[in-house]
Amino acid sequence: MKPILEIGNVTYSYHTLQGETTALNDINLSVMPGQFISIVGPSGCGKSTLLSLISGLIKPDSGSIKINEKKIEDSNTNIGYMLQKDNLFEWRTVYSNVLLGLEIQNKITKSTTETINEMLKAYGLENFKDARPSQLSGGMRQRVALIRTLALEPDILLLDEPFSALDYQTRLEVCDDIGAILRRESKTAILVTHDLSEAISMGDIVVVLSKRPGKIRKIVEIDMEIPNRTPISSRSSPKFKDYFNLIWKELTDNV
Ligand code: ADP
């Protein structure tokens, strides 16, 4: 199997009137199809910048980013982006919020609406199609945002702190929920989070970045030795604590 994403020697700096800020320095990372990658590191170390580079919103100063062996601009790979804010529109119903991406891309067909209906059913939102976003819980809103993103059939899903606006219990539930959905759909996902437990419980691989300029400090493969693991079952695995301590040490040694 070939990597779906290859980041080679990528460096990126922001240029402002105040001067130059090197956000990322010599980043190398390969991601295989279906893998779930979590990225952790101190605040301001360049995690969101890395997602912006992968999405093609910004271009590296040096190095290369390839998706399915092609440069981002030549690749027809679909990339989905999910942010901390769900960005649902209150003036639209749940259903028309979910359809928004397809509407913009002129892709509303019998088959895409069928897929949406199936997802709404599978993810417990069938009876809320006509509701407004404000009538939903935070967790339900995030599920709506996820379905809207998945409707466009992204090959790679970028998740930038998507759970951090939720309260602790909802956050655990939504993590589990969304982790299960992404595994069921075999999506390649890259999650940026400042929550180490979340990173370990969701990821197949945890990438630890150093403080700015962000460099890769460590890449840790997570194997909880439990079949069909979910984020919640991972948290009760005896190995969870070992991974937590190992990565915590990497993070704190660096501060
Ligand atoms: P993280 O997501 O890890 O918190 P970011 O990728 O947002 O970090 O930012 C990395 C560094 O780049 C930070 O020091 C930040 O101040 C700087 N930075 C981010 N965006 C901009 C910008 N638009 N202009 C100038 N500097 C920026």
Side-chain angles (χ1 to χ4, degrees):
M1 221 191 320
K2 293 193 173 125
I4 186 165
L5 170 69
E6 277 183 291
I7 303 176
N9 308 107
V10 162
T11 296
Y12 185 82
S13 300
Y14 289 99
H15 299 270
T16 61
L17 289 176
Q18 284 71 43
E20 183 180 302
T21 307
T22 302
L24 290 168
N25 190 5
D26 199 24
I27 301 291
N28 290 284
L29 183 67
S30 266
V31 178
M32 301 306 281
Q35 263 185 335
F36 195 114
I37 309 289
S38 301
I39 300 179
V40 293
S43 180
C45 74
K47 301 182 290 297
S48 300
T49 304
L50 187 56
L51 293 193
S52 298
L53 285 161
I54 297 168
S55 72
L57 283 174
I58 54 175
K59 296 207 173 348
D61 297 334
S62 58
S64 70
I65 301 184
K66 287 191 179 157
I67 296 182
N68 284 326
E69 301 186 298
K70 288 187 181 152
K71 284 191 197 156
I72 296 181
E73 53 269 33
D74 301 331
S75 131
N76 51 11
T77 309
N78 235 332
I79 295 190
Y81 220 134
M82 221 176 125
L83 304 164
Q84 183 178 343
K85 264 193 85 194
D86 54 46
N87 291 315
L88 300 180
F89 293 117
E90 185 56 26
W91 47 274
R92 285 182 159 240
T93 61
V94 163
Y95 194 60
S96 61
N97 264 291
V98 163
L99 286 180
L100 184 64
L102 291 172
E103 202 177 298
I104 293 170
Q105 296 197 3
N106 241 332
K107 285 187 181 160
I108 298 190
T109 62
K110 192 162 174 278
S111 130
T112 54
T113 44
E114 263 171 26
T115 311
I116 293 257
N117 286 330
E118 275 163 25
M119 281 200 273
L120 286 167
K121 200 170 167 185
Y123 307 138
L125 290 161
E126 199 189 20
N127 296 332
F128 294 89
K129 276 163 116 173
D130 299 323
R132 300 282 164 179
S134 61
Q135 293 172 281
L136 306 184
S137 67
M140 289 163 94
R141 291 177 65 112
Q142 275 308 46
R143 260 183 280 153
V144 173
L146 180 68
I147 295 175
R148 183 183 55 193
T149 311
L150 292 179
L152 295 170
E153 301 191 332
D155 304 289
I156 302 179
L157 195 59
L158 306 179
L159 304 158
D160 198 349
E161 303 264 11
F163 315 119
S164 52
L166 304 173
D167 64 77
Y168 184 69
Q169 193 187 334
T170 310
R171 189 176 174 139
L172 285 185
E173 285 164 9
V174 174
C175 256
D176 216 49
D177 227 21
I178 288 187
I181 296 172
L182 296 180
R183 286 202 192 271
R184 194 175 322 152
E185 311 274 338
S186 302
K187 290 289 170 203
T188 309
I190 303 180
L191 167 76
V192 157
T193 178
H194 62 262
D195 181 333
L196 185 48
S197 300
E198 188 172 287
I200 297 169
S201 66
M202 294 196 85
D204 297 312
I205 285 178
V206 177
V207 176
V208 186
L209 293 183
S210 68
K211 64 180 186 231
R212 187 168 61 84
K215 282 186 95 153
I216 293 186
R217 221 178 130 79
K218 204 167 183 79
I219 294 182
V220 182
E221 263 189 64
I222 307 291
D223 179 6
M224 295 293 178
E225 294 172 357
I226 39 180
N228 303 323
R229 77 172 171 108
T230 63
I232 287 183
S233 70
S234 298
R235 285 174 194 253
S236 49
S237 157
K239 292 192 77 183
F240 184 83
K241 187 167 55 68
D242 300 338
Y243 285 123
F244 190 97
N245 291 340
L246 172 81
I247 300 171
W248 180 252
K249 189 167 182 315
E250 282 299 328
L251 285 169
T252 46
D253 276 359
N254 188 231
V255 173

